[in-house]
Amino acid sequence: ALRRFQPASEELACLSGALGDSTPFEAKVLAAQMPMLLNSENAFQTMTLLHELAQQPHGSSAEASGNSGLSSLSERLHVLRLLSHSALAAGHGGLATSQIRAMALESGDAEAAELHALLGRHLAGAGNVAAAEQAFELASKAGRAQDTAAVHLDKGLLASTRGDCQAALAHFEAAVSVATVAVKGAGAAATPTSTCVDELVTAQNNLAVCRLSGRQLKDGVNGLEALVRQSPALFLRQSVAQNLSSLYEFLPEAKERRLALREVVDAFQ
């Protein structure tokens, strides 16, 4: 959270050296991200490390082998999302595509639905709309509910990739609506890492970008600012701050708004 990546990297190296194979899996995942966090040009190294972790045994296989590997679907999805991001940044999206697809084929319907959905988002990020649509269709056939914020986000992403801003706008607005209800329903149990919180942040960020393209700049800014005011502890993420800062450039009071945002960011670091 403090973005002190160099000290964190050194601490993780010491931990790994002391514990060896007994190093907690969460620490291994964080250590794998460090090269790219320290320098974006190290995406290939991070991708390689995450790919190795993604290939470790999971579920009952991990328990049987005594390997502190991918023991739950949420852990597998987390590693694969990171792998997708780093692989696309490194220009080797195909590696993540193969890994996610292989794990989906090995899984039962419930897990396969989530993995196919992740594959669809990865392929959409790579600009392969047709393959992304096929992956989302497989997720639906595997039983993925279609009235969720995540599905609206996926459809909005596809529409954006096609250049259909109006369709994307409608889906991102729907995602904001569904995720807002989920966050309110979670109440005090909602945390910055809750899925509903993550979906609401993602939906508002994408909605703001779409509104900018549709010449609805003030609506985009107002939506993000309202989100932050609702709960800075939950919603004030780096992506939101960066989006707001970029949007402020188009407003006459850019300097004042940016200073106000800086004060809020400093207060919650």
Side-chain angles (χ1 to χ4, degrees):
L2 297 177
R3 301 182 64 78
R4 298 176 60 189
F5 298 135
Q6 187 60 49
S9 180
E10 293 169 359
E11 187 69 24
L12 286 165
C14 289
L15 179 67
S16 179
L19 298 180
D21 292 340
S22 299
T23 302
F25 189 73
E26 295 82 357
K28 293 180 181 179
V29 174
L30 185 55
Q33 298 175 68
M34 279 300 150
M36 189 171 169
L37 290 174
L38 287 167
N39 187 332
S40 60
E41 294 183 0
N42 294 333
F44 184 87
Q45 185 180 353
T46 285
M47 177 195 73
T48 301
L49 293 171
L50 288 168
H51 188 223
E52 291 175 358
L53 291 176
Q55 292 179 305
Q56 289 190 8
H58 56 270
S60 57
S61 299
E63 294 174 5
S65 65
N67 189 313
S68 59
L70 301 160
S71 59
S72 70
L73 176 60
S74 62
E75 288 179 347
R76 295 200 290 283
L77 289 171
H78 179 58
V79 171
L80 290 171
R81 287 189 196 102
L82 294 172
L83 176 61
S84 169
H85 176 64
S86 59
L88 290 174
H92 292 275
L95 182 141
T97 298
S98 298
Q99 183 63 39
I100 299 170
R101 183 174 284 136
M103 293 183 75
L105 292 174
E106 296 171 359
S107 303
D109 281 352
E111 294 188 355
E114 294 299 324
L115 289 164
H116 282 306
L118 175 57
L119 178 60
R121 288 191 289 275
H122 172 72
L123 291 166
N128 193 339
V129 176
E133 288 177 331
Q134 291 175 0
F136 288 136
E137 180 62 26
L138 288 173
S140 177
K141 289 180 179 179
R144 189 190 190 206
Q146 296 299 293
D147 57 349
T148 64
V151 169
H152 282 298
L153 282 169
D154 294 339
K155 291 180 178 179
L157 179 60
L158 284 177
S160 294
T161 306
R162 292 193 209 98
D164 189 346
C165 187
Q166 285 303 114
L169 191 70
H171 283 300
F172 290 140
E173 286 176 339
V176 167
S177 179
V178 174
T180 297
V181 171
V183 170
K184 289 181 178 178
T191 70
T193 59
S194 296
T195 298
C196 57
V197 172
D198 186 56
E199 289 175 342
L200 183 51
V201 169
T202 303
Q204 279 287 14
N205 269 329
N206 281 284
L207 180 57
V209 173
C210 264
R211 283 173 167 166
L212 175 61
S213 299
R215 299 184 180 182
Q216 302 173 31
L217 173 61
K218 287 190 176 180
D219 288 340
V221 170
N222 291 340
L224 285 175
E225 288 184 335
L227 183 68
V228 173
R229 283 196 296 270
Q230 182 181 334
S231 176
L234 285 180
F235 303 119
L236 184 54
R237 300 187 183 180
Q238 182 182 6
S239 60
V240 174
Q242 288 178 335
N243 244 350
L244 276 172
S245 183
S246 297
L247 292 173
Y248 287 161
E249 290 293 337
F250 299 97
L251 296 175
E253 65 275 23
K255 184 177 179 180
E256 292 79 3
R257 285 182 180 251
R258 194 177 294 106
L259 286 172
L261 177 62
R262 181 73 259 172
E263 290 177 0
V264 176
V265 170
D266 290 342
F268 283 89
Q269 281 188 335

